Amino acid sequence: MSAVNPTQPRVALFVTCLVDLYRPSVGFAAIRLLEAAGCTVEVPRAQTCCGQPAYNSGDRATALALATSLLGTLAGYDYVVAPSGSCAGMIRKHLPDLFDQDPDLRDRAAALAAKTWELTSFLVDVMGFTGLDSPLPARATYHDSCAGLRELGVKSQPRALLDKITGLDLVEMAEPEICCGFGGTFCVKFPDISARMTGDKTADIATTGADLLLAGDLGCLLNMAGKLSRDGKPIAVRHIAEVLAGITADVPPIGDTRR
């Protein structure tokens, strides 16, 4: 999947609920990266949840209401970019289906879907961005989040960007594509299964010997960071945008309460 690189495209940053509420630094990092790639970035104030929790729970009415709001809020931009494969996947793959009874709105939703991208995929596939000069001496491993990988094909793009960071040694897990057990409402509906999956995942992470865990979805990162902390494993956890933007010295790892 690729697109033409326009001259200074106007990009709407879809911040996501979790970034807004738990990790605003990811949003600021995304802005820095997008601007460095040559984009004009705006953060639409009226943006809401992408509707995925309601959609996955069968609450079609709420999902439809949120989707309808987004059609207006995100109109007029060249691209919509989210630092989350999960939210980008919801808009790109599922939003049009909510309007199957209204052809006009479905066409608008399809147009929005076509211009919506996950952050690292947009930087690499659309903008041809090769990264900032942000050295980081660390041994890292990368988790492929389910939605980004399976719905949007995000796999090589984050690794291509991480490969440009001086001093960063990327070590792959045995099974980097296995779910971390979060799955949004899955971890609430099936806590025992989720906990077992998370334990298997963090064991795989620890086996790499990495001191830094990276991923592109904050839900996955919060889930894994909690388990690593409870197990006393000293592995820092960060969103990939923070590392790519070079802000790790100013922002503590996820779940680190020392600052």
Side-chain angles (χ1 to χ4, degrees), residues 176-214:
E177 298 181 357
I178 295 296
C179 178
C180 73
F182 176 62
T185 56
F186 174 83
C187 65
V188 177
K189 294 178 179 178
F190 306 101
D192 293 340
I193 299 173
S194 173
R196 176 63 182 270
M197 293 171 69
T198 306
D200 291 345
K201 188 71 186 188
T202 53
D204 193 2
I205 292 165
T207 300
T208 66
D211 51 39
L212 176 62
L213 169 63
L214 302 173

mmCIF file of all heavy atoms in Angstrom, residues 176-214:
data_model
loop_
_atom_site.group_PDB
_atom_site.id
_atom_site.type_symbol
_atom_site.label_atom_id
_atom_site.label_comp_id
_atom_site.label_asym_id
_atom_site.label_seq_id
_atom_site.Cartn_x
_atom_site.Cartn_y
_atom_site.Cartn_z
ATOM 1 N N PRO A 176 6.819 -12.211 17.803
ATOM 2 C CA PRO A 176 6.436 -10.801 17.926
ATOM 3 C C PRO A 176 5.015 -10.501 17.476
ATOM 4 O O PRO A 176 4.447 -9.475 17.853
ATOM 5 C CB PRO A 176 7.450 -10.087 17.029
ATOM 6 C CG PRO A 176 7.871 -11.120 16.030
ATOM 7 C CD PRO A 176 7.876 -12.407 16.793
ATOM 8 N N GLU A 177 4.419 -11.398 16.679
ATOM 9 C CA GLU A 177 3.085 -11.149 16.135
ATOM 10 C C GLU A 177 1.964 -11.717 17.001
ATOM 11 O O GLU A 177 0.789 -11.532 16.691
ATOM 12 C CB GLU A 177 2.980 -11.733 14.721
ATOM 13 C CG GLU A 177 3.955 -11.113 13.734
ATOM 14 C CD GLU A 177 3.806 -11.701 12.345
ATOM 15 O OE1 GLU A 177 2.984 -12.619 12.174
ATOM 16 O OE2 GLU A 177 4.510 -11.245 11.427
ATOM 17 N N ILE A 178 2.303 -12.393 18.095
ATOM 18 C CA ILE A 178 1.288 -12.965 18.979
ATOM 19 C C ILE A 178 0.642 -11.863 19.820
ATOM 20 O O ILE A 178 1.323 -10.982 20.340
ATOM 21 C CB ILE A 178 1.908 -14.035 19.897
ATOM 22 C CG1 ILE A 178 2.397 -15.218 19.067
ATOM 23 C CG2 ILE A 178 0.907 -14.497 20.949
ATOM 24 C CD1 ILE A 178 1.288 -15.972 18.348
ATOM 25 N N CYS A 179 -0.681 -11.930 19.971
ATOM 26 C CA CYS A 179 -1.436 -10.932 20.733
ATOM 27 C C CYS A 179 -0.922 -10.822 22.170
ATOM 28 O O CYS A 179 -0.548 -11.822 22.790
ATOM 29 C CB CYS A 179 -2.914 -11.324 20.731
ATOM 30 S SG CYS A 179 -3.986 -10.219 21.673
ATOM 31 N N CYS A 180 -0.950 -9.604 22.696
ATOM 32 C CA CYS A 180 -0.491 -9.383 24.071
ATOM 33 C C CYS A 180 -1.573 -9.706 25.092
ATOM 34 O O CYS A 180 -1.326 -9.663 26.296
ATOM 35 C CB CYS A 180 -0.036 -7.931 24.248
ATOM 36 S SG CYS A 180 -1.411 -6.738 24.281
ATOM 37 N N GLY A 181 -2.806 -9.968 24.621
ATOM 38 C CA GLY A 181 -3.882 -10.299 25.541
ATOM 39 C C GLY A 181 -4.798 -9.146 25.884
ATOM 40 O O GLY A 181 -5.800 -9.325 26.587
ATOM 41 N N PHE A 182 -4.484 -7.952 25.380
ATOM 42 C CA PHE A 182 -5.322 -6.792 25.705
ATOM 43 C C PHE A 182 -6.631 -6.842 24.923
ATOM 44 O O PHE A 182 -7.682 -7.124 25.470
ATOM 45 C CB PHE A 182 -4.566 -5.492 25.428
ATOM 46 C CG PHE A 182 -5.383 -4.253 25.653
ATOM 47 C CD1 PHE A 182 -5.881 -3.958 26.906
ATOM 48 C CD2 PHE A 182 -5.658 -3.377 24.607
ATOM 49 C CE1 PHE A 182 -6.644 -2.814 27.119
ATOM 50 C CE2 PHE A 182 -6.410 -2.233 24.813
ATOM 51 C CZ PHE A 182 -6.917 -1.949 26.062
ATOM 52 N N GLY A 183 -6.576 -6.572 23.649
ATOM 53 C CA GLY A 183 -7.751 -6.723 22.798
ATOM 54 C C GLY A 183 -8.927 -5.839 23.167
ATOM 55 O O GLY A 183 -10.075 -6.215 22.934
ATOM 56 N N GLY A 184 -8.681 -4.672 23.766
ATOM 57 C CA GLY A 184 -9.780 -3.783 24.123
ATOM 58 C C GLY A 184 -10.707 -4.428 25.135
ATOM 59 O O GLY A 184 -10.309 -4.774 26.254
ATOM 60 N N THR A 185 -11.954 -4.637 24.744
ATOM 61 C CA THR A 185 -12.926 -5.218 25.670
ATOM 62 C C THR A 185 -12.677 -6.700 25.931
ATOM 63 O O THR A 185 -13.242 -7.266 26.867
ATOM 64 C CB THR A 185 -14.352 -5.043 25.119
ATOM 65 O OG1 THR A 185 -14.427 -5.619 23.809
ATOM 66 C CG2 THR A 185 -14.727 -3.568 25.039
ATOM 67 N N PHE A 186 -11.812 -7.332 25.131
ATOM 68 C CA PHE A 186 -11.502 -8.752 25.343
ATOM 69 C C PHE A 186 -10.957 -9.002 26.738
ATOM 70 O O PHE A 186 -11.320 -9.977 27.411
ATOM 71 C CB PHE A 186 -10.486 -9.217 24.292
ATOM 72 C CG PHE A 186 -9.989 -10.618 24.500
ATOM 73 C CD1 PHE A 186 -10.715 -11.711 24.052
ATOM 74 C CD2 PHE A 186 -8.782 -10.855 25.153
ATOM 75 C CE1 PHE A 186 -10.261 -13.008 24.250
ATOM 76 C CE2 PHE A 186 -8.309 -12.145 25.351
ATOM 77 C CZ PHE A 186 -9.053 -13.224 24.905
ATOM 78 N N CYS A 187 -10.060 -8.130 27.202
ATOM 79 C CA CYS A 187 -9.435 -8.345 28.509
ATOM 80 C C CYS A 187 -10.425 -8.176 29.656
ATOM 81 O O CYS A 187 -10.195 -8.678 30.766
ATOM 82 C CB CYS A 187 -8.232 -7.418 28.697
ATOM 83 S SG CYS A 187 -8.647 -5.663 28.765
ATOM 84 N N VAL A 188 -11.530 -7.469 29.392
ATOM 85 C CA VAL A 188 -12.579 -7.314 30.407
ATOM 86 C C VAL A 188 -13.528 -8.508 30.383
ATOM 87 O O VAL A 188 -13.931 -9.015 31.434
ATOM 88 C CB VAL A 188 -13.361 -6.007 30.162
ATOM 89 C CG1 VAL A 188 -14.499 -5.860 31.169
ATOM 90 C CG2 VAL A 188 -12.428 -4.805 30.228
ATOM 91 N N LYS A 189 -13.853 -8.979 29.193
ATOM 92 C CA LYS A 189 -14.794 -10.084 29.055
ATOM 93 C C LYS A 189 -14.171 -11.433 29.415
ATOM 94 O O LYS A 189 -14.845 -12.327 29.928
ATOM 95 C CB LYS A 189 -15.323 -10.134 27.626
ATOM 96 C CG LYS A 189 -16.173 -8.947 27.234
ATOM 97 C CD LYS A 189 -16.607 -9.057 25.774
ATOM 98 C CE LYS A 189 -17.473 -7.891 25.348
ATOM 99 N NZ LYS A 189 -17.860 -7.967 23.918
ATOM 100 N N PHE A 190 -12.883 -11.577 29.112
ATOM 101 C CA PHE A 190 -12.197 -12.855 29.338
ATOM 102 C C PHE A 190 -10.885 -12.631 30.099
ATOM 103 O O PHE A 190 -9.797 -12.846 29.566
ATOM 104 C CB PHE A 190 -11.920 -13.545 28.002
ATOM 105 C CG PHE A 190 -13.136 -13.713 27.140
ATOM 106 C CD1 PHE A 190 -13.380 -12.857 26.080
ATOM 107 C CD2 PHE A 190 -14.060 -14.723 27.394
ATOM 108 C CE1 PHE A 190 -14.511 -13.003 25.280
ATOM 109 C CE2 PHE A 190 -15.178 -14.885 26.611
ATOM 110 C CZ PHE A 190 -15.411 -14.013 25.558
ATOM 111 N N PRO A 191 -10.966 -12.173 31.361
ATOM 112 C CA PRO A 191 -9.762 -11.786 32.097
ATOM 113 C C PRO A 191 -8.764 -12.918 32.312
ATOM 114 O O PRO A 191 -7.552 -12.691 32.265
ATOM 115 C CB PRO A 191 -10.308 -11.258 33.422
ATOM 116 C CG PRO A 191 -11.662 -11.882 33.562
ATOM 117 C CD PRO A 191 -12.189 -11.976 32.164
ATOM 118 N N ASP A 192 -9.238 -14.126 32.558
ATOM 119 C CA ASP A 192 -8.318 -15.233 32.810
ATOM 120 C C ASP A 192 -7.514 -15.586 31.557
ATOM 121 O O ASP A 192 -6.296 -15.806 31.624
ATOM 122 C CB ASP A 192 -9.083 -16.461 33.298
ATOM 123 C CG ASP A 192 -9.699 -16.252 34.672
ATOM 124 O OD1 ASP A 192 -9.231 -15.349 35.396
ATOM 125 O OD2 ASP A 192 -10.644 -16.980 35.014
ATOM 126 N N ILE A 193 -8.203 -15.640 30.426
ATOM 127 C CA ILE A 193 -7.505 -15.926 29.169
ATOM 128 C C ILE A 193 -6.544 -14.797 28.841
ATOM 129 O O ILE A 193 -5.389 -15.023 28.438
ATOM 130 C CB ILE A 193 -8.521 -16.116 28.027
ATOM 131 C CG1 ILE A 193 -9.438 -17.297 28.313
ATOM 132 C CG2 ILE A 193 -7.797 -16.319 26.695
ATOM 133 C CD1 ILE A 193 -10.572 -17.453 27.318
ATOM 134 N N SER A 194 -7.003 -13.557 29.018
ATOM 135 C CA SER A 194 -6.173 -12.393 28.742
ATOM 136 C C SER A 194 -4.900 -12.398 29.586
ATOM 137 O O SER A 194 -3.804 -12.147 29.082
ATOM 138 C CB SER A 194 -6.967 -11.109 29.010
ATOM 139 O OG SER A 194 -6.143 -9.972 28.910
ATOM 140 N N ALA A 195 -5.056 -12.689 30.872
ATOM 141 C CA ALA A 195 -3.897 -12.696 31.772
ATOM 142 C C ALA A 195 -2.872 -13.750 31.362
ATOM 143 O O ALA A 195 -1.661 -13.514 31.415
ATOM 144 C CB ALA A 195 -4.357 -12.929 33.207
ATOM 145 N N ARG A 196 -3.359 -14.910 30.942
ATOM 146 C CA ARG A 196 -2.451 -15.971 30.496
ATOM 147 C C ARG A 196 -1.702 -15.541 29.232
ATOM 148 O O ARG A 196 -0.485 -15.762 29.101
ATOM 149 C CB ARG A 196 -3.237 -17.253 30.234
ATOM 150 C CG ARG A 196 -2.396 -18.402 29.656
ATOM 151 C CD ARG A 196 -1.311 -18.859 30.614
ATOM 152 N NE ARG A 196 -0.504 -19.901 30.025
ATOM 153 C CZ ARG A 196 -0.782 -21.209 30.151
ATOM 154 N NH1 ARG A 196 -1.840 -21.608 30.840
ATOM 155 N NH2 ARG A 196 0.012 -22.102 29.596
ATOM 156 N N MET A 197 -2.415 -14.920 28.309
ATOM 157 C CA MET A 197 -1.784 -14.453 27.075
ATOM 158 C C MET A 197 -0.742 -13.380 27.363
ATOM 159 O O MET A 197 0.351 -13.371 26.787
ATOM 160 C CB MET A 197 -2.853 -13.909 26.118
ATOM 161 C CG MET A 197 -3.803 -14.968 25.584
ATOM 162 S SD MET A 197 -5.196 -14.277 24.662
ATOM 163 C CE MET A 197 -4.337 -13.659 23.205
ATOM 164 N N THR A 198 -1.077 -12.473 28.285
ATOM 165 C CA THR A 198 -0.130 -11.412 28.630
ATOM 166 C C THR A 198 1.112 -11.989 29.285
ATOM 167 O O THR A 198 2.238 -11.547 29.011
ATOM 168 C CB THR A 198 -0.793 -10.387 29.571
ATOM 169 O OG1 THR A 198 -2.002 -9.911 28.981
ATOM 170 C CG2 THR A 198 0.133 -9.204 29.824
ATOM 171 N N GLY A 199 0.935 -12.987 30.146
ATOM 172 C CA GLY A 199 2.086 -13.627 30.780
ATOM 173 C C GLY A 199 2.989 -14.306 29.774
ATOM 174 O O GLY A 199 4.218 -14.228 29.872
ATOM 175 N N ASP A 200 2.392 -14.984 28.807
ATOM 176 C CA ASP A 200 3.193 -15.618 27.753
ATOM 177 C C ASP A 200 3.960 -14.565 26.949
ATOM 178 O O ASP A 200 5.118 -14.768 26.574
ATOM 179 C CB ASP A 200 2.294 -16.421 26.819
ATOM 180 C CG ASP A 200 1.705 -17.661 27.487
ATOM 181 O OD1 ASP A 200 2.206 -18.058 28.560
ATOM 182 O OD2 ASP A 200 0.740 -18.228 26.929
ATOM 183 N N LYS A 201 3.294 -13.443 26.704
ATOM 184 C CA LYS A 201 3.912 -12.383 25.906
ATOM 185 C C LYS A 201 5.092 -11.757 26.639
ATOM 186 O O LYS A 201 6.180 -11.577 26.073
ATOM 187 C CB LYS A 201 2.877 -11.304 25.580
ATOM 188 C CG LYS A 201 3.379 -10.252 24.593
ATOM 189 C CD LYS A 201 3.502 -10.841 23.204
ATOM 190 C CE LYS A 201 4.120 -9.890 22.219
ATOM 191 N NZ LYS A 201 4.066 -10.378 20.840
ATOM 192 N N THR A 202 4.898 -11.421 27.903
ATOM 193 C CA THR A 202 5.984 -10.771 28.637
ATOM 194 C C THR A 202 7.151 -11.734 28.888
ATOM 195 O O THR A 202 8.300 -11.310 28.989
ATOM 196 C CB THR A 202 5.477 -10.188 29.962
ATOM 197 O OG1 THR A 202 4.784 -11.201 30.712
ATOM 198 C CG2 THR A 202 4.534 -9.020 29.708
ATOM 199 N N ALA A 203 6.874 -13.031 28.978
ATOM 200 C CA ALA A 203 7.955 -14.008 29.094
ATOM 201 C C ALA A 203 8.795 -14.015 27.822
ATOM 202 O O ALA A 203 10.032 -14.101 27.871
ATOM 203 C CB ALA A 203 7.379 -15.398 29.365
ATOM 204 N N ASP A 204 8.127 -13.917 26.674
ATOM 205 C CA ASP A 204 8.830 -13.853 25.395
ATOM 206 C C ASP A 204 9.674 -12.583 25.321
ATOM 207 O O ASP A 204 10.817 -12.596 24.855
ATOM 208 C CB ASP A 204 7.806 -13.873 24.259
ATOM 209 C CG ASP A 204 8.420 -14.133 22.892
ATOM 210 O OD1 ASP A 204 9.652 -14.349 22.813
ATOM 211 O OD2 ASP A 204 7.674 -14.130 21.898
ATOM 212 N N ILE A 205 9.114 -11.487 25.800
ATOM 213 C CA ILE A 205 9.844 -10.218 25.810
ATOM 214 C C ILE A 205 11.104 -10.332 26.667
ATOM 215 O O ILE A 205 12.198 -9.927 26.259
ATOM 216 C CB ILE A 205 8.939 -9.090 26.350
ATOM 217 C CG1 ILE A 205 7.802 -8.809 25.358
ATOM 218 C CG2 ILE A 205 9.741 -7.821 26.615
ATOM 219 C CD1 ILE A 205 6.669 -7.984 25.949
ATOM 220 N N ALA A 206 10.970 -10.890 27.856
ATOM 221 C CA ALA A 206 12.099 -11.001 28.773
ATOM 222 C C ALA A 206 13.203 -11.883 28.205
ATOM 223 O O ALA A 206 14.396 -11.634 28.437
ATOM 224 C CB ALA A 206 11.622 -11.541 30.116
ATOM 225 N N THR A 207 12.826 -12.899 27.449
ATOM 226 C CA THR A 207 13.815 -13.813 26.880
ATOM 227 C C THR A 207 14.756 -13.127 25.899
ATOM 228 O O THR A 207 15.899 -13.564 25.718
ATOM 229 C CB THR A 207 13.083 -14.983 26.166
ATOM 230 O OG1 THR A 207 12.287 -15.677 27.129
ATOM 231 C CG2 THR A 207 14.070 -15.964 25.566
ATOM 232 N N THR A 208 14.314 -12.029 25.282
ATOM 233 C CA THR A 208 15.176 -11.316 24.319
ATOM 234 C C THR A 208 16.344 -10.611 24.993
ATOM 235 O O THR A 208 17.318 -10.259 24.328
ATOM 236 C CB THR A 208 14.367 -10.259 23.545
ATOM 237 O OG1 THR A 208 13.940 -9.221 24.444
ATOM 238 C CG2 THR A 208 13.164 -10.873 22.862
ATOM 239 N N GLY A 209 16.245 -10.369 26.298
ATOM 240 C CA GLY A 209 17.282 -9.610 26.990
ATOM 241 C C GLY A 209 17.172 -8.116 26.748
ATOM 242 O O GLY A 209 18.075 -7.350 27.111
ATOM 243 N N ALA A 210 16.066 -7.681 26.151
ATOM 244 C CA ALA A 210 15.885 -6.258 25.861
ATOM 245 C C ALA A 210 15.654 -5.462 27.135
ATOM 246 O O ALA A 210 15.066 -5.956 28.102
ATOM 247 C CB ALA A 210 14.702 -6.073 24.916
ATOM 248 N N ASP A 211 16.120 -4.213 27.122
ATOM 249 C CA ASP A 211 15.826 -3.312 28.232
ATOM 250 C C ASP A 211 14.762 -2.291 27.838
ATOM 251 O O ASP A 211 14.417 -1.416 28.621
ATOM 252 C CB ASP A 211 17.088 -2.593 28.726
ATOM 253 C CG ASP A 211 17.873 -1.933 27.594
ATOM 254 O OD1 ASP A 211 17.254 -1.366 26.675
ATOM 255 O OD2 ASP A 211 19.121 -2.002 27.633
ATOM 256 N N LEU A 212 14.243 -2.423 26.601
ATOM 257 C CA LEU A 212 13.241 -1.487 26.104
ATOM 258 C C LEU A 212 12.231 -2.232 25.232
ATOM 259 O O LEU A 212 12.604 -2.934 24.292
ATOM 260 C CB LEU A 212 13.926 -0.383 25.280
ATOM 261 C CG LEU A 212 13.036 0.647 24.590
ATOM 262 C CD1 LEU A 212 12.230 1.444 25.612
ATOM 263 C CD2 LEU A 212 13.880 1.590 23.735
ATOM 264 N N LEU A 213 10.952 -2.080 25.554
ATOM 265 C CA LEU A 213 9.870 -2.665 24.763
ATOM 266 C C LEU A 213 9.153 -1.555 24.018
ATOM 267 O O LEU A 213 8.735 -0.560 24.618
ATOM 268 C CB LEU A 213 8.879 -3.403 25.669
ATOM 269 C CG LEU A 213 7.561 -3.840 25.023
ATOM 270 C CD1 LEU A 213 7.809 -4.854 23.902
ATOM 271 C CD2 LEU A 213 6.607 -4.401 26.075
ATOM 272 N N LEU A 214 8.971 -1.740 22.715
ATOM 273 C CA LEU A 214 8.311 -0.740 21.878
ATOM 274 C C LEU A 214 7.105 -1.349 21.171
ATOM 275 O O LEU A 214 7.073 -2.551 20.897
ATOM 276 C CB LEU A 214 9.281 -0.198 20.826
ATOM 277 C CG LEU A 214 10.562 0.450 21.334
ATOM 278 C CD1 LEU A 214 11.483 0.772 20.170
ATOM 279 C CD2 LEU A 214 10.243 1.705 22.140
#
